[in-house]
Structure formats: C-alpha cells, structure tokens
Amino acid sequence: DEIKKRMDHREKNFLSLTRKLIYENHSSPYRRLLQWAGCDYKDIEDSVKAKGLEQTLEILRDNGVYITLEEFKSKVPISRKGLTIETRQTDFENPFLMGGALQGSTSGSRSKSSPVKRNWNFIAEEAANEMILYKIHGMARAPLALWLPALPRMAGTHNLLMNVKYRRPPERWFSHTKTNSLRIPLIDRLALEYILWCCRHFGIEVPRPEFTDIRSAVTVAEWMEKTRKNKGPCVVRTYTSSAVRLVQAAIDHGIDISGNVILTGGEPLTEARCRFIESAGVKVFSRYSAAETGSIGASCDNLNGPDDMHVYVDRLAIIQRHRKTAIGEAEVNSFLFTSLSAHLGRVLLNAELGDFGKITIKPCDCLFGELGMNVHVSEVLSHDKLTCEGMTLVGFELDEIVGKMIANIGGGPDDYQFWETQDGGGLSKLVVAISPAIHNLDENDFIENLFEKLQSKSLGGHLMSQIWRQADTLQVVRAYPELTQGYKFLKIIKNPQKTLF
C-alpha cells in the first residue's frame, strides 16, 4: 500500500519537493541553476502536467539543469555559460530532514568524503521495497545474514535497520572491519551500541557485528551450510566480490551451500561472476544502491541478464545524459537521478553519481511489475570511479594522488595508467601501469606509499586500505601505458598476454 501510494503520487511528490527543497531554499545550488535556465516553479509544474516527469527532467537536462559527478562532489564549481556556482558538500543536503538521522559517509578517500544522512522514515521506505524483493524470491521468512561492514561505513548498519523495520533481523552480522578499532571515531562506536541497545529494548534480538575479513569467507560459508541443514534455505547480503570469495571458500573446503540465496551489491554482477557463484548451487540476484540514494533497484526472477534490475521509481526518477568521462575520452550515457522522497539526506535533481548503463522500459509479471515499476537498468558500470571489494574510489581522486607520486620520482602525466582487471572468478584488481622509462621505482614501496596516502586522507581511506590490503587489490606492473590523449582508465576484462595474478 505504501509503495502503491508513492507510485500514484510520483509527480505530485516531485513538485512538492521541488518547491520546498529547491525554490524555497535560497542556498540551494539547484535554485540558482534553474534561475539561470530561466525556469521558475510554474514552468516545471506546467511541464510535468503536460508532458510527465521524465520528459520534464529531460527538458531540464537539455537546458543545462543537471549536476555532474565532479560538481556533486564539489570538486569543481557548477559551470555553465555565464554562470559559476561554488559549492560545498552541505549545499546538497536536505535542509528539512526531520527526525534522528543515522550519519555515515561515502567511501571516498579524501578528507572531503561526503556525509550521508538517513532517518527512520527513509529506512522504512526502503524496507518496503526490499520486503517485496524477499517475497519475489520466496525468502520472506528465510534466515538472514549480513556480510557487510559496520559504522562508519553505512552498508552494514543500513541493511540491519532495513530488516529490523519489518522485524526480520539477521541472525548473524559478519563485518569486514573491526568495530573496536581506535581509528573508528568514538561517536560511531557509541552510535552502534545505541542502535543495538534500542533494538533489544524493543524486544528485537539483533546480532553484534563479528569481525570476518575476506580471508575468513569460510566462516560465512559454514553458517550457510549449517543453516540450510537445520532451518532451510537462507539469504546472505554482501558485496559481489565477497560473494565470489564465499563461493571459492565453500569449494576449497568442501562446504555445501547449495539451495541458498545471495543478494549482491557494491559491484556489478557480471556474467562471469554470476556463473561462478551459481556453480555452487546457490541463486544470486543483483541489487543496485548508492550511498547518496540508498537502494536504487534489484533483480526479480525474470532476468534478461544477471544485472537486469527494476528501479525503485516510487522513490527515484532516472534519465541519462551523454557525456565524456572526466579524465578520459570514453563516451558514456551517464545516469541522472532525481529524488522523490522527502526523507532522502541529499537533494537530487538530475544529479550524476558516477554510473552509466542501459535503461529499458518493459512490463514484467513480478510484484515489481504489478506495482508499475517497469523501468529497468542493466549493464551498470562506473565512469570515473573504481570499485573493488565493495570500496569505491572516485577516479580523479586516485589520479591526483598517484600523479603526485609519479612526479616525485621524475615521471609525467603520461607515464602511468590505471587498469581495472578481473580474474576467472570475477575478483577485481586495481593495477597501476607505470612506464619502464621511470627507473627510480620500487613496486612494493610504491604500493605501500599509496596505501599510506589513502589512509592519511580520512577514515574512509583507512577502511578502504584495510580491505584492499586483505584482498591484495592494488598491484603495480611496469608497462607502457596504452594512452590516448587524457585517457587514464583502461578496462581490461580479458588480457591473456599480461599475467597479473
């Protein structure tokens, strides 16, 4: 009922939020952008009534009303012909977010990592979508485990609260990171304890996060096998790469995890990853989320590909913008998101989050389709972002760090390149290809120095470094970069001539 009501009032909700959060908020950068485009509230209202929401957003986009990833991160000012708007991250926050909000941050490495707020009303909205997902896959009452990090990363705590909302908390919470580290701010440690106490105070038994790094995937596999035998099929929510490691651990140790379900996110569920995970007899379904939006969509059973996902259009609108990548020449159809929820911590109006892919409109006979959620995304990848082991690093941030390191040893901007590679099981590696012409370089020292610089930037950088060290994610090869002008990122999915692992 809640979802259907939101679906029936999408356009009304958009107009209400546009008036309240943008036009009545004099500090909103969107307000200045709309004024520059000569668009007042009545223009938007008339367009939505005559042409619909998505077509109105496309008209706004074509008239310069959109926010690039670089602008949304406040890396560069919003710049259009005759207009320059200097912004801070707080300029995009929802000024009317009511109620106690859970606060975390995006996983960027810089000291300016973006704050993210989510209140209970927003979590309840997401939970309604996710309960539909469980019903579609026949797992509404199945035992559940999380293998996601706790605060200050949002993933684990956010998933915990979504499931608590409908009183189906996880039985186990495996965390990639330690919760008692002194590097974690006291406020985050106290927040976790408060959340756990509140749940138990209201009679909801919730598990305490157990440190389970990626080298301990067998622990999760053992839980799946034991639970399947004693209680029936179970569900694990985790990162896509962690799901690959879980299956590999089960194979290596002779653990039977067949008959269970894994819900993945954080990285694309490619054909190769899907085949490998399903080789263990489990079903795997893709979820799409972002720190700034929360849940974006998920897969039903009627798949046209492993990452064919319904978009939760009751809370978000999505269109595309053709653009060139920020630090390369690749042309992509970048996703632009618009928020339709008053409870989202960020205000989004045609805002890029760094992803691109395909958008299709098609009917579906699943519960999502019955509710009218017929917008699908697939082949979702990131432009100008790198994601490994569920940790995301914005490309221009990495380029800035490595560029300075290369300059310090006598190299130039064309003496290095980033390769994102995958092994046979779909595990990602981030490779820095450095020209052999640079002689004053020790590869191991270079990686260690890069980790130290990531760690020193922020707590998010520290957590990223911790997990990437566990996974041996960062590697250096001596090779001449395959550069076109300004092209710093090269996706290498299959490259038998170069043995990297």
Side-chain angles (χ1 to χ4, degrees), residues 85-118:
I85 307 174
E86 296 283 349
T87 66
R88 300 169 298 175
Q89 287 290 297
T90 53
D91 293 336
F92 296 101
E93 290 185 359
N94 181 347
F96 301 107
L97 191 65
M98 300 297 181
L102 174 68
Q103 180 161 325
S105 65
T106 57
S107 57
S109 65
R110 299 175 62 85
S111 56
K112 289 184 178 180
S113 58
S114 310
V116 178
K117 292 181 179 179
R118 295 175 189 169

Side-chain angles (χ1 to χ4, degrees), residues 152 178-187 189 459 462 466:
K178 296 179 180 179
T179 58
N180 58 355
S181 171
L182 294 180
R183 286 296 302 263
I184 297 176
L186 179 60
I187 189 172
R189 285 179 277 157
L459 179 59
H462 173 75
Q466 181 180 339

Side-chain angles (χ1 to χ4, degrees), residues 252-268:
D252 292 345
H253 292 82
I255 299 171
D256 181 9
I257 61 172
S258 62
N260 298 309
V261 172
I262 302 178
L263 299 178
T264 68
E267 300 145 282

Side-chain angles (χ1 to χ4, degrees), residues 311-385:
V311 178
Y312 295 150
V313 292
D314 57 319
R315 297 185 296 104
L316 293 165
I318 181 173
I319 62 171
Q320 290 177 292
R321 171 178 171 258
H322 192 75
R323 61 161 288 176
K324 289 186 177 181
T325 54
I327 56 176
E329 295 180 341
E331 295 188 354
V332 298
N333 290 316
S334 183
F335 293 152
L336 299 180
F337 292 96
T338 297
S339 50
L340 305 180
S341 169
H343 307 298
L344 189 65
R346 294 293 188 88
V347 180
L348 306 176
L349 176 62
N350 280 349
E352 283 183 351
L353 301 180
D355 295 331
F356 69 99
K358 290 185 178 180
I359 296 178
T360 55
I361 311 295
K362 56 184 179 181
C364 186
D365 60 6
C366 74
L367 286 176
F368 287 138
E370 291 176 9
L371 288 165
M373 296 186 186
N374 292 326
V375 178
H376 294 243
V377 292
S378 60
E379 300 179 26
V380 179
L381 295 170
S382 295
H383 63 82
D384 301 318
K385 292 196 305 183

